[in-house]
């Protein structure tokens, strides 16, 4: 039996399950009949639910025989997609299969793609001599998946990486290029090398927009109202929908055009292709396929694909489009021999040798007779740029509790509407109402209970927040994440360029002489150092280059080189062609610093101080070092210089050259927050020629070196850092440092900026891989003597349970610090400790870029809402993976993260959280208001239905347009509160406080509407209203309105009556009351009285309603279909609406915000109520009140909902946590560990 379901992209972010289906005739006939009977509604339902559409028209089959595929993502969203299976004919089964190139023939029109129903019958005849193979494939999210008979599943062909080639294989087997025939064959699988962002036509966008369930519901409402002759309100809804659709279409179209323009700029260029070792031809970049070899011109180009450099080529590249980092990067040739050459080529591991699509090659370095060549490894959407574009075109849904709860709440409103629907039918049948009227009125109750304007109203707050963020220099490419920023409770920060200044200042150097450190020297450019190997290493071991006459490169390299005072000169293209071989880059000291003995000799002798850089091994984050091979002009021997992390450099040096005091010296500098770089040197054998050096493995070169000394760089904190971190800590938002720098330097910076406070201890977790018979282990080392800290038992820790701790007991004043190496070991061998560790870990040092992403995922797995702030260079993965990634970049918008701040410091973080909290609270306020609006109107209509009456057309119009819409859009204008408070904003609509708020307001509105309805019917002047009725005459105020209703036409719909007038006035004031009550200000938004559009709207509406209620205007009464009532009843209505407003205010402010929040809901948030009251009397009252109210609201003592709080409570009572100083934890089994003293 063939397999019916497989998983594709297993282990990746876009992992999906796939089922195969084939068309079923009888099911399709049934669906067709159903669509006709339902007037097309069934087709709409199947359009919205693709899984129903496939299952309703097809039957299960094996994937190999499937015509249609049903795909479902395996993440928490479980999204469904359908895909059509196509067939193409090709000589081979895969792009890298060995085929007879002579048998390849062109398919008709150059197109080999056909569906099952459109395979060209003449094709097999044309290709009979080549026996073409039918290959099944489908396309999903701009990616093609091909059927693989061996794996019995669909696979993606990414590029040359699929062959699992070693670096040396790429040099030997793929450096001469492809023939035209082979290129054409591979293009059948990889298609044109183009990141095609198709801009949909306005018609297609309009159809997709109009078929949204929200607009279909509005269409249903408009048709219903039109049948009832509610033309004005229907026209208003149509006008609103038109504006909404037009705005949406304009925004979507603009985004597509912007993305298309960004992608298409220079995406199609002319390239020089290699055909064999010598032949070259010009071609369009769209023709490229993996395996092609292209020539990189000396003056640079925009890369149209991902390609790896070969044969000694070097390029200077600007990768700002991908990383947001505008500092040029040096790319060198892929190693082709030695141990590095045997490694399998990997795009991430060998990114220093790979030119990425969309990046700008500024210039190239090449040697006599050699061209800078690159082998194409990926094309189209498989490239790094293509993946970025795909993530923008097909973003993952935003998993936010607010939206999930909103759907649940809407379902509740639908349930309420269902009750009203049944109630209306029963009542109408009892009163023998005509069938047509019953259908119309029962359906209308649904349009009242579910507010059609809800989505537009909720979007307004996000739009306003986005505008405010733009004003402070924060740009957003994912507006829905603004609300998520309001829930952030943990923020990870990069160190260099984020917490500290981007540039480093040279504090001094400390050289090694005769096996020991000499005293520190501040001036690195003094004459006595010119001819030392230390100075030669400083002047040559970098990746700087000159661009338009200006030195450019890594800021650290620039500072180090400028401190030497030396001059860098690069050969021109003409000079390169004249020499064999030529040193591409030469450094020399300025003439004024040369020793006097050399100033008087010939110029040729002065050249002895000039050093040529023969080869560079660029800095690697994984290796934490870089090296160069140089030759002093006039000498035969070459030298190798190395710089990097001190721990790494010393491990590559001869032990006798490393001073005994190295560890103490390094710790003294890093402990003070300095960034320390170590230098080393090695004299190479004279037999090494230039050509041999070009193929030399860096592992062979970077060994057995001589330790030269240390460069001490000062990395100053940014002025704003400490204040921002203090503000976040006071707001109960946890902060972490994730850096590639030295551990002790990172700890020192963490102390300086306040991440770790002076009295708090730091526990360094050093982890080691298994060795021989010894299992993996963790050594727990305290960075300073705990005895110098206050006594453990005398401390009272008062940390909010938002982070899981509160009250007396075990000391929580500690932080873990972990290196990237230890993090990798713990992840693999101590998975059960990982979550405990990240709960209190604050410093992560020497972290590789992928480890940063991994850390963010682990923090999310313990239910933290994680923010990440970095400079965009090594943080792209983490910035994207975090709930809210903030890139500090001068670019207006970066695809590297959802948020980009043009402010080059972390002050943008609290600004973003403040705006996020304000937008989140605004969303809650608007949702509650819109829900109450629909319920209030629902109550009014239900009461009026009981007497076969209703609200009038213009009453609906006045309520929905003049009151509700204006209020909904102006109540969203409250700016963010200027401070971050400790109390987090609510995260769920389905929570105690919010449900209590909504339900109490519903009950209050119901009570006062029923009260007004019953009271008006008990008045002495009350009668069944007729056009001749004149209740005003019973008033003793002297006012007479004899003629107000005399000429009124007969009211067939029974709109004009005393109950309608009373409920219209009372409900209108209820809308205003709940709007003001729900529009809360502090502590997350500015007070509503500062929102002048909202206050002005409320004031105007209050004045208008009071005026027409107390002093009726005949024209307005006729327009709104209001009848005249006695003045005494008008005064009574004023009293009713005032008492209603006071009761609503007391429930919301006094009962909810003060009593219940303090005694019930806040305790539930803190988990089991572990607070410490101020006095015994208060304690008794609070305990009694809390117990009673907790019982009343079913808020029993229960475990915290978030995983990190549960862990924190468990660890509070664990006597063995944190581990004691100088203990070792061994991994004994996969799920247990043993801790013993050292």
């Amino acid at each position: 039996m063939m397999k019916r379901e497989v998983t594709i992209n297993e282990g990746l972010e876009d992992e999906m399950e796939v089922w195969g289906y084939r068309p079923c005739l009888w099911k399709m006939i049934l669906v067709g009949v159903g669509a006709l009977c339902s007037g097309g509604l069934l087709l709409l339902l199947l359009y919205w639910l693709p899984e129903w559409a496939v299952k309703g028209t097809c039957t299960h089959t094996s994937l190999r025989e499937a015509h249609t595929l049903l795909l479902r993502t395996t993440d928490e969203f479980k999204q469904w997609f359908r895909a059509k299976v196509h067939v193409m004919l090709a000589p081979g089964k895969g792009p890298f299969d060995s085929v007879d190139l002579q048998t390849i023939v062109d398919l008709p029109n150059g197109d080999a793609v056909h569906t099952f129903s459109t395979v060209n019958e003449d094709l097999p005849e044309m290709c009979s001599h080549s026996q073409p193979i039918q290959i099944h494939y489908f396309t999903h999210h701009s990616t093609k998946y091909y059927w693989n008979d061996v794996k019995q599943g669909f696979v993606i062909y990414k590029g040359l990486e699929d062959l699992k080639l070693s670096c040396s294989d790429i040099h030997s087997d793929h450096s001469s290029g492809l023939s035209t025939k082979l290129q054409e064959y591979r293009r059948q699988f990889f298609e044109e090398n183009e990141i095609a962002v198709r801009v949909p036509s306005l018609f297609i966008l309009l159809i997709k927009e109009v078929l949204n369930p929200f607009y279909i519901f509005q269409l249903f409402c408009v048709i219903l109202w039109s049948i009832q002759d509610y033309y004005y309100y229907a026209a208003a809804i149509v006008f609103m929908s038109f504006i909404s659709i037009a705005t949406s279409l304009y925004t979507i179209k603009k985004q597509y055009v912007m993305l298309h323009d960004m992608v298409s700029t220079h995406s199609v260029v002319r390239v020089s292709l290699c055909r064999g070792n010598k032949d070259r031809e010009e071609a369009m970049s769209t023709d490229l396929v993996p395996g092609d070899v292209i020539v990189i011109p000396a003056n640079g180009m925009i890369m149209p694909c991902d390609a790896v450099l070969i044969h000694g080529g070097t390029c200077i590249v600007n990768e700002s489009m991908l990383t947001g980092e505008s500092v040029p990067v040096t790319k060198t040739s892929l190693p082709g021999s030695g141990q590095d050459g045997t490694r399998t080529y990997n795009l991430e591991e060998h990114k220093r040798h790979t030119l990425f699509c969309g990046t700008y090659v500024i210039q190239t370095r090449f040697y006599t007779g050699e061209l800078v060549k690159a082998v194409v490894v990926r094309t189209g959407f498989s490239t790094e740029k293509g993946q970025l574009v795909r993530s923008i075109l097909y973003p993952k849904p935003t998993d936010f509790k607010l939206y999930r709860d909103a759907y649940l709440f809407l379902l509740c409103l639908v349930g309420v509407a269902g009750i009203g629907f049944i109630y209306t039918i029963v009542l109408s049948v009892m009163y023998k109402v005509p069938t047509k009227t019953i259908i119309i009125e029962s359906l209308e109750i649904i349009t009242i209970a579910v507010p059609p304007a809800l989505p537009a109203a909720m979007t307004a707050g996000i739009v306003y927040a986005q505008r405010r963020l733009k004003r402070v220099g924060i740009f957003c490419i994912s507006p829905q994440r603004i609300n998520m920023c309001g829930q952030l409770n943990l923020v990870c920060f990069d160190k260099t360029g984020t917490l500290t200044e981007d540039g480093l200042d040279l504090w001094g150097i400390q050289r090694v002489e005769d096996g020991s450190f000499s005293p520190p020297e501040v001036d690195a450019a003094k004459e006595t150092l010119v001819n030392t190997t230390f100075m030669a290493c400083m002047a040559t071991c970098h990746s700087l280059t000159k661009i338009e006459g200006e030195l450019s490169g890594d800021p650290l390299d620039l500072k180090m080189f400028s401190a030497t005072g030396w001059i860098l000169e690069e050969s021109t293209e003409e000079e390169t062609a004249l020499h064999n071989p030529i040193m591409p880059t030469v450094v020399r000291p300025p003439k004024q610093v040369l020793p006097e003995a050399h100033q008087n000799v010939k110029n040729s002798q002065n050249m002895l101080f000039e050093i040529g850089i023969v080869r560079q091994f660029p800095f690697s984050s994984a290796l934490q070092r870089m090296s160069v091979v140089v030759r002093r002009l006039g000498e035969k021997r070459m030298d190798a210089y190395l710089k990097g992390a001190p721990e790494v450099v010393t491990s590559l040096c001869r032990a006798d050259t490393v001073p005994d005091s190295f560890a103490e010296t390094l710790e003294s500098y890093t402990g003070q927050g300095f960034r320390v770089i170590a230098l080393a040197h090695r004299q190479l054998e004279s037999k090494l020629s230039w050509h041999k050096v070009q193929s030399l493995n860096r592992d062979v070169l970077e060994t057995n070196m001589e330790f030269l000394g240390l460069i001490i760089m000062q990395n100053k904190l940014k002025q704003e850092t400490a204040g921002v971190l203090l503000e976040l800590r006071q707001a109960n938002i946890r902060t972490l440092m994730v850096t590639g720098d030295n551990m002790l330097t990172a700890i020192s910076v963490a102390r300086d900026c306040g991440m770790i406070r002076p009295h708090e201890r730091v526990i360094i977790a050093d982890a080691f891989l298994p060795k021989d018979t010894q299992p993996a282990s963790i050594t727990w080392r305290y960075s300073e003597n705990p005895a110098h800290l206050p006594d453990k038992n005398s401390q009272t820790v008062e940390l909010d349970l938002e982070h899981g701790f509160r009250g007396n007991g075990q000391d929580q004043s500690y932080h873990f610090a972990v290196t990237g190496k230890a993090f990798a070991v713990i992840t693999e061998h101590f998975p059960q400790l990982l979550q405990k560790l990240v709960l209190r870990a604050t410093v992560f040092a020497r972290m590789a870029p992928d480890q940063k992403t991994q850390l963010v995922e682990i923090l999310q797995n313990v239910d933290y809402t994680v923010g990440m702030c970095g400079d965009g260079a090594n943080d792209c993965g983490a910035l994207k993976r975090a709930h809210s990634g903030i890139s500090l970049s001068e670019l207006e918008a970066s695809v590297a993260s959802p948020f980009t701040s043009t402010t080059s410091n972390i002050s943008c973080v609290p600004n973003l959280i403040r705006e996020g909290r304000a937008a989140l609270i605004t969303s809650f306020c608007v949702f509650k208001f819109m829900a109450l609006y629909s319920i209030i109107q629902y109550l009014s209509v239900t009461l009026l239905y009981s007497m076969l009456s209703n609200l009038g057309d213009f009453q609906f119009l006045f309520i929905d347009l003049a009151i509700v819409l204006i209020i909904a859009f102006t109540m969203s204008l409250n700016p963010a509160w200027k401070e971050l408070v400790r109390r987090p904003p609510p995260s769920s609509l389905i929570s105690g406080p919010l449900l209590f708020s909504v339900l109490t307001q519903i009950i209050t509105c119901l009570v006062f509407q029923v009260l007004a309805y019953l009271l008006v019917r008990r008045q002495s002047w009350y009668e069944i209203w007729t056009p001749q009725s004149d209740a005003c005459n019973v008033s003793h105020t002297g006012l007479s309105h004899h003629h107000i209703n005399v000429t009124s036409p007969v009211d067939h719909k029974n709109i004009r009556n005393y109950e309608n007038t009373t409920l219209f006035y009372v409900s209108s004031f209820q809308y205003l009351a709940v709007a003001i009550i729900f529009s809360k200000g502090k502590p997350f938004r500015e007070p509503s009285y500062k929102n002048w559009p909202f206050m002005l709207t409320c004031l105007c509406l209050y004045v208008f309603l009071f005026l027409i209620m107390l002093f009726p205007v005949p024209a307005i009464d006729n327009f709104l279909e209001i009848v005249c009532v006695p003045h005494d009843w008008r005064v009574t209505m004023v009293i009713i609406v005032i008492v209603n407003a006071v009761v609503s205010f007391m429930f919301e402010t006094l009962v909810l915000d003060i009593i219940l929040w303090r005694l019930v809901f806040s305790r539930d948030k803190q988990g089991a109520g572990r607070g410490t009251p101020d006095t015994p009397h208060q304690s008794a009252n609070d305990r009694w009140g809390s117990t009673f109210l907790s019982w009343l609201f079913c808020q029993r003592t229960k475990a915290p909902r978030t995983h990190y709080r549960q862990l924190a409570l468990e660890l509070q009572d664990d006597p063995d946590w944190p581990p004691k100083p100088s203990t070792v934890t061994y991994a004994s089994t996969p799920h247990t560990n043993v801790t013993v003293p050292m």
Side-chain angles (χ1 to χ4, degrees), residues 882-904:
H883 290 108
S884 295
I886 311 147
S887 172
L888 306 183
S889 171
E890 293 180 2
L891 303 173
E892 181 173 306
S894 168
V895 291
S897 65
F899 298 95
T900 304
S901 172
T902 55
T903 309
S904 61

Side-chain angles (χ1 to χ4, degrees), residues 706-779:
E706 175 193 356
F707 187 73
L708 295 179
L710 304 173
I711 299 176
I712 301 100
M713 311 290 284
Q714 196 170 16
N715 196 194
K716 296 177 183 175
L717 277 180
K718 288 183 178 177
Q719 189 176 352
E720 301 81 6
T721 297
V724 169
L725 293 179
L726 177 63
E727 184 181 3
L728 293 176
R729 187 171 72 243
Q730 289 173 341
N732 217 13
I733 296 170
R734 187 178 160 200
T735 54
L736 305 182
M737 182 192 298
V738 189
T739 178
D741 209 341
N742 174 276
M743 168 66 79
L744 295 177
T745 302
I747 292 173
S748 173
V749 171
R751 287 198 182 278
D752 290 344
C753 67
M755 232 179 236
I756 300 173
R757 285 176 282 185
H759 69 278
E760 294 173 333
R761 71 187 76 202
V762 177
I763 305 171
I764 299 175
D766 290 326
F768 304 95
L769 288 166
K771 191 175 182 181
D772 300 328
T773 57
Q774 194 172 13
S777 62
I778 306 173
T779 302

